[in-house]
Amino acid sequence: MGVKRLLDAVVAALLLAVLAPLILLLATAVLLTSGRPVFFGHRRLGRGGVPFRCWKLRTMQEDAELVLAASPALHESYIANGYKLPVAEDPRVTQLGAFLRRTYLDELPQLFNVIQGSMSLVGPRPIVEAEAGNYGEHSAELLHVRPGLIGAWTSRGHARPPYPERAQIELEYVRGRSLRRDAHLLLLALPVILRGQPEDS
């Protein structure tokens, strides 16, 4: 086990121990307001291009994927916006889900991904298979490392640029990654998390 992987596992386990009561409280709130399932595992590409389930607290209605597939206009907007929709424009997001997204609390279950080894605390954000095309011939380079809970792109907060600049930022991280840089990105991410994100992001 490498140093980065060891640090990931230890820090994620400590964070999970501290945040477990909060995750349980939020999971209960999801259950009471919109039923089961409480968690949602979205299929993403991991290290080496191996698919994995990226876990989140469920923020959408249960048939969210079907709603997206049934609306060409919604799907087109989803792709144009970097394979996500602004919370204020997404009819699939529940009222509680909008709050969880604005505060990034929906992503806390990804600590389980970090402990399990499919993700790292810091790295390029995990992508869906359709996004790989934005990296062209460099997609294998991106997928050479574990995706991260936070990273160079997400640390920019509200100023996160869309593709193709996002691809350049993520690849630049992959090429220059180090434990020192990871620590710097974690520090940059703290004010971003505390501020939360606006509804139109």
Side-chain angles (χ1 to χ4, degrees), residues 110-123:
Q110 287 169 36
L111 289 170
F112 289 105
N113 285 113
V114 176
I115 292 174
Q116 183 266 337
S118 54
M119 290 180 64
S120 177
L121 286 174
V122 181

Side-chain angles (χ1 to χ4, degrees), residues 112-190:
F112 289 105
N113 285 113
V114 176
I115 292 174
Q116 183 266 337
S118 54
M119 290 180 64
S120 177
L121 286 174
V122 181
R125 281 298 290 167
I127 61 172
V128 297
E129 293 179 39
E131 282 179 276
N134 290 290
Y135 295 85
E137 61 183 13
H138 302 292
S139 60
E141 185 178 2
L142 175 81
L143 297 172
H144 179 68
V145 301
R146 288 185 180 88
L149 183 57
I150 66 112
W153 179 66
T154 51
S155 294
R156 297 197 174 200
H158 303 161
R160 289 179 293 182
Y163 290 113
E165 188 177 349
R166 172 181 169 176
Q168 296 172 356
I169 293 169
E170 299 284 43
L171 288 169
E172 192 275 333
Y173 164 80
V174 171
R175 293 162 183 163
R177 66 190 184 280
S178 67
L179 292 178
R180 181 176 180 179
R181 186 171 187 193
D182 284 359
H184 178 64
L185 289 174
L186 283 171
L187 290 175
L188 289 178
L190 286 176

